[in-house]
Amino acid sequence: MAAPLRKRGRTSFLRSKSGHKWSLSAPEQRGRNAQVSYTPAPKGDAMYARSPVESWAILFSNEILEIILKHTNEQINRRIGELERRQMVIDTSLHKVTDIVELKAVFGLLYYAGAHKLIKCKTMNWWSVHSMPLFKATMSRNRFTFLFDCLRFDDKNTRNERKAIDCFTHIREIWDLFIERCKNNYEPGKNITIDEQLLSFRGRCSFKMYILSKPDKYGFKIVSMNDADTHYMINAIPYCGTVTERVENEPIPIYYVRKLSEPIYDTNRKVDEESGKPEMILFYNRTKGGTDSFDQKCHQYTVARKTNRWPVRMFYGMLDQAGVNSFVLFNLNQDNRPMKRLEYLMELSLQLVHPYLVRRLETPTLRGTLRSLIQDFIRPEDVPAEIDIRHDVSDNKMTKQKRCSLCPSSLDRKTYFKCLQCDKPMCREHVAKISFQCAN
């Protein structure tokens, strides 16, 4: 008698037409190799930023601005001293030291010009009658260009000693602080990529590079680590020639990967058992667009103007990077209303300029036309109380017309108004409670 047929048990796999076996159960995840879910998110101070300017200030901290202010004022004083030695005229409204409020206003105008694609235009067009009124409302063109001529980021007196060790020393201090802020205020997502960013520059610089595959061809190479999903720049290292921090016989590409990956060490992101390489390398083809997309965003509304000074070009790059990173931080915060990038940059520029506009309204010699222009950009409750040196005098009108003392005599401008302190006639263009000379 034949033995009874044995019941077939449930199979643990399926077989495809090609003969390949597919398991019906997921593989067991064990120990450190278990996949961890990561969601991009702000952390640290960035969690409490409620406006574009607060998100920007997380990355461009007061510590960075104080360094720029200190060395910029040193250069301004050097310029004033040079004018005095050459016995040239010193304009007290132009040749004077600056402060953080005015520096922020200058940066705000750069973002504003970048958002309107005006960066390649000459600055005289920014202040023309056909251009955006915010430029004229904020400051004069001469003051704007003077401040940028004097913009410095390090101590000029000790630069040569530091340059012998580090050719990036002109801007190294604020760059390191900026990158540290970028790392400390962002929680990266699952997929991260490392690639090159090129900041265009055609002037003289010892570490300027030529990269045929990049649109700009010539410039500074920055090896950057970006989140593949949000394109946030987590870490970055500028290439300045010879790398001295490498382990002996370590290839340069491996050095950059090792150095840039330090912020995500010991975060339990998966490691491939066969190759021993980080997951970001194995998934490179899928996530390599992170740095390229970040670079594209920096180009889209760039603040970079033509310059022959490489530290200034690098600083333009930092402003662009801060604009993209702070936008990501702001939108990832669930308490904030999501913004499109152009709207964010416009709001950021206005918020950077706003404190300087309010302060400018307090100037007693401000022309009436400028006062009205400034008030178009600020809320009525932000308008300061009018400053008047003679509150008991309500009218500065004369009974007889006289020629304006501030206009060229060839214009022959007649006016009924005068300065309450020196009694000099002033036309509608210069009318104020006191004249400019008396204010000084």
Side-chain angles (χ1 to χ4, degrees):
M1 183 177 176
L5 294 173
R6 191 171 56 179
K7 269 190 177 181
R8 260 179 97 177
R10 185 181 175 185
T11 181
S12 60
F13 62 87
L14 296 176
R15 190 183 297 273
S16 66
K17 291 182 180 180
S18 62
H20 188 81
K21 289 184 178 181
W22 294 92
S23 176
L24 293 176
S25 57
E28 182 183 357
Q29 296 180 345
R30 300 186 302 272
R32 295 184 61 185
N33 291 334
Q35 187 67 31
V36 181
S37 177
Y38 289 94
T39 302
K43 67 178 183 179
D45 296 336
M47 297 173 61
Y48 309 102
R50 295 294 178 265
S51 66
V53 72
E54 289 179 4
S55 294
W56 182 85
I58 295 298
L59 306 179
F60 255 82
S61 62
N62 277 336
E63 185 179 5
I64 294 176
L65 295 177
E66 288 285 357
I67 294 171
I68 299 173
L69 176 66
K70 175 185 176 182
H71 300 305
T72 298
N73 280 337
E74 289 172 353
Q75 178 64 17
I76 290 175
N77 288 326
R78 283 191 289 266
R79 290 282 293 273
I80 294 175
E82 182 64 22
L83 291 174
E84 290 175 345
R85 284 191 295 272
R86 297 168 63 181
Q87 297 183 345
M88 297 181 67
V89 177
I90 297 178
D91 187 345
T92 54
S93 65
L94 174 63
H95 305 114
K96 61 181 181 180
V97 294
T98 184
D99 58 17
I100 287 183
V101 174
E102 190 174 30
L103 279 182
K104 285 185 176 180
V106 170
F107 302 155
L109 291 182
L110 279 178
Y111 281 120
Y112 193 76
H116 285 93
K117 309 283 188 177
L118 298 175
I119 284 299
K120 292 187 178 179
C121 297
K122 294 182 178 179
T123 53
M124 66 177 63
N125 295 329
W126 295 7
W127 272 265
S128 73
V129 293
H130 305 291
S131 189
M132 309 291 179
L134 182 64
F135 296 107
K136 189 178 293 185
T138 305
M139 64 181 63
S140 69
R141 171 179 172 263
N142 289 340
R143 178 63 174 170
F144 179 86
T145 55
F146 175 76
L147 287 175
F148 256 96
D149 287 342
C150 296
L151 199 62
R152 296 295 184 274
F153 316 102
D154 70 323
D155 186 355
K156 189 176 180 179
N157 297 324
T158 62
R159 182 183 298 163
N160 288 335
E161 300 174 7
R162 291 180 280 107
K163 189 177 177 181
I165 303 171
D166 180 16
C167 61
F168 196 67
T169 189
H170 306 66
I171 199 169
R172 173 69 71 183
E173 186 176 9
I174 66 169
W175 170 266
D176 288 345
L177 289 171
F178 171 68
I179 294 299
E180 195 66 24
R181 302 289 293 182
C182 290
K183 292 189 292 187
N184 293 342
N185 288 279
Y186 181 77
E187 184 62 47
K190 174 184 175 182
N191 296 324
I192 300 170
T193 183
I194 294 177
D195 206 347
E196 298 171 348
Q197 181 187 13
L198 188 73
L199 299 185
S200 62
F201 184 70
R202 292 271 179 169
R204 293 185 177 183
C205 181
S206 60
F207 50 89
K208 181 179 68 175
M209 297 193 68
Y210 173 77
I211 302 180
L212 180 62
S213 60
K214 297 294 183 181
D216 296 320
K217 304 295 188 284
Y218 291 92
F220 310 122
K221 184 174 80 170
I222 298 178
V223 186
S224 175
M225 181 172 75
N226 296 77
D227 191 307
D229 297 323
T230 65
H231 310 147
Y232 183 95
M233 185 183 74
I234 306 165
N235 198 2
I237 301 175
Y239 177 77
C240 303
T242 305
V243 179
T244 58
E245 299 179 4
R246 288 185 296 158
V247 180
E248 188 177 359
N249 298 324
E250 181 184 31
I252 290 180
I254 292 182
Y255 160 77
Y256 280 118
V257 172
R258 175 178 60 80
K259 194 70 176 175
L260 289 171
S261 302
E262 287 179 355
I264 58 172
Y265 282 175
D266 300 323
T267 57
N268 292 328
R269 283 173 169 80
K270 191 171 179 181
V271 176
D272 183 72
E273 296 178 357
E274 296 181 4
S275 64
K277 295 180 180 179
E279 188 178 37
M280 71 178 90
I281 304 301
L282 301 178
F283 291 161
Y284 177 74
N285 287 332
R286 189 173 72 190
T287 62
K288 63 182 179 181
T291 302
D292 290 338
S293 298
F294 176 81
D295 194 22
Q296 183 182 13
K297 288 181 177 179
C298 289
H299 274 77
Q300 186 178 11
Y301 300 114
T302 181
V303 304
R305 293 185 53 75
K306 185 177 180 180
T307 179
N308 289 325
R309 293 167 52 204
W310 74 258
V312 173
R313 176 60 187 96
M314 187 64 68
F315 181 70
Y316 285 147
M318 291 174 61
L319 288 177
D320 287 334
Q321 293 160 351
V324 176
N325 275 9
S326 62
F327 166 73
V328 174
L329 292 176
F330 179 83
N331 274 356
L332 285 177
N333 197 320
Q334 297 181 355
D335 295 328
N336 298 331
R337 176 182 67 85
M339 288 186 179
K340 293 186 177 180
R341 186 154 171 261
L342 180 58
E343 179 190 6
Y344 174 85
L345 288 176
M346 291 288 293
E347 190 65 26
L348 171 62
S349 60
L350 291 174
Q351 290 180 7
L352 285 171
V353 167
H354 181 270
Y356 190 74
L357 291 177
V358 173
R359 192 174 74 180
R360 198 178 187 195
L361 277 179
E362 298 175 354
T363 306
T365 59
L366 191 67
R367 297 200 306 265
T369 53
L370 272 181
R371 188 176 296 275
S372 299
L373 192 62
I374 292 173
Q375 290 176 356
D376 290 339
F377 293 97
I378 63 177
R379 297 171 300 180
E381 57 267 27
D382 293 333
V383 178
E386 187 177 5
I387 296 178
D388 188 353
I389 60 167
R390 297 185 182 182
H391 294 284
D392 57 328
V393 180
S394 59
D395 191 11
N396 63 338
K397 194 172 183 181
M398 301 182 294
T399 57
K400 185 179 178 180
Q401 276 191 338
K402 293 184 179 180
R403 181 185 295 166
C404 177
S405 62
L406 299 175
C407 290
S409 57
S410 59
L411 295 179
D412 194 27
R413 285 183 176 171
K414 299 297 179 60
T415 180
Y416 279 106
F417 296 93
K418 66 177 180 178
C419 171
L420 290 177
Q421 183 163 312
C422 67
D423 291 331
K424 289 183 179 180
M426 297 181 294
C427 69
R428 284 287 186 182
E429 184 180 349
H430 299 100
V431 69
K433 292 297 182 184
I434 59 174
S435 68
F436 179 79
Q437 289 90 340
C438 289
N440 291 331

